Amino acid sequence: MTTTIQENRVSLSDTDLADRLGFAETMAKAAGAAALDYFTRRDELVIETKRNPQDLVSEADKKVEELIRAEIANRFGADGVLGEEYGLTEGTSGLTWVIDPIDGTSAFLNGMPSWCVSVGAAIDGEPVLGVIVAPCFDECYSARRGGGATLNGKPIRVADQLNLRNGVVGLGSNDRVEPAAAARIVENLFEIGGTFIRNGSGALMLAYVAAGRLVGYAEPSMNAWDCMAGYCLVSEAGGTVLPFPRDGFHAPARVLAATGGSYAELEQISAIAQS
Ligand code: LIP
């Protein structure tokens, strides 16, 4: 299957995507090793506050994104790059890498293992590649459009045998969401006998949906770099996702992913008035 870019700038074949996936796995693992080194000496890191005291960034985030950007520029210089710390660099190939150097920054800086390196790629806003590396667990989740999803090289699939009453849902939220609305999602889930986790990394929780550990994931307002890789993983693992806005590189949007059998109910439970 050949993925033809809009305006026929470039046609990316499955082989092109497979090449990029192999590169992304190697690169994300190297970035993960660099991040893990920072993690072991996090007390030395210079930490800055972004929007509020819960929204932090450290030199680890910036240095790891710089490492990823340099690797991409060296190998696929015509591709675009969108990263959490340095924004959007337009490309000419039609493929844009969408990266979060350390997703779960709060967990990372507080010494908890639930963080990851998230490397996605999109063509015309559609996720086509996803690699999520969780160094503290020695796990590499990987997928490309049409190629299935794997965890450490072994095929993975969403948990079709679970539902919202016997499975666990991942939830995310932050200051962009009205507190009462976020609480209502939890209330709605508890009312049907469900339960949830929030580990601070939306990307890692999306990878858990793809691996069949979580039955679904919902977050009312999430950035493209947090979800693009996870969306590719969930779709290739047989799950259903709420398409991210085609112009979503510039603003956060609602994120929803689940098994096919639980998607509609989780959509209903987590639907809130968008501020
Ligand atoms: C995090 C997301 C998570 C969200 C957090 C934060 P970061 O990304 O993965 O889903 O709830 O507020 O945005 O900031 O750790 O890269």
Side-chain angles (χ1 to χ4, degrees), residues 173 177-188 272:
S173 191
V177 182
E178 178 60 37
R184 199 154 45 248
I185 296 173
V186 175
E187 180 183 3
N188 291 343
I272 62 173

Side-chain angles (χ1 to χ4, degrees), residues 139-155:
E139 291 182 339
C140 177
Y141 302 81
S142 178
R144 70 169 167 84
R145 183 159 69 182
T150 60
L151 167 54
N152 291 349
K154 294 180 181 174

Side-chain angles (χ1 to χ4, degrees), residues 50-51 54-56 61 84-85 100-108 114-116 171-176 198-205 217-219 221-223 225-227:
K50 289 181 169 178
R51 298 194 310 274
Q54 296 288 358
D55 186 19
L56 303 173
D61 300 82
E84 176 169 10
E85 308 312 335
D100 190 339
I102 297 176
D103 188 67
T105 299
S106 176
F108 179 96
S114 53
W115 55 272
C116 64
L171 294 182
S173 191
N174 51 42
D175 64 296
R176 293 190 297 263
R198 180 186 189 278
N199 70 5
S201 170
L204 191 54
M205 286 187 277
Y217 183 75
E219 179 154 0
S221 179
M222 201 168 176
N223 287 301
W225 50 76
D226 293 328
C227 68

Side-chain angles (χ1 to χ4, degrees), residues 123-135:
I123 293 175
D124 294 333
E126 289 283 321
V128 294
L129 293 176
V131 175
I132 291 175
V133 169

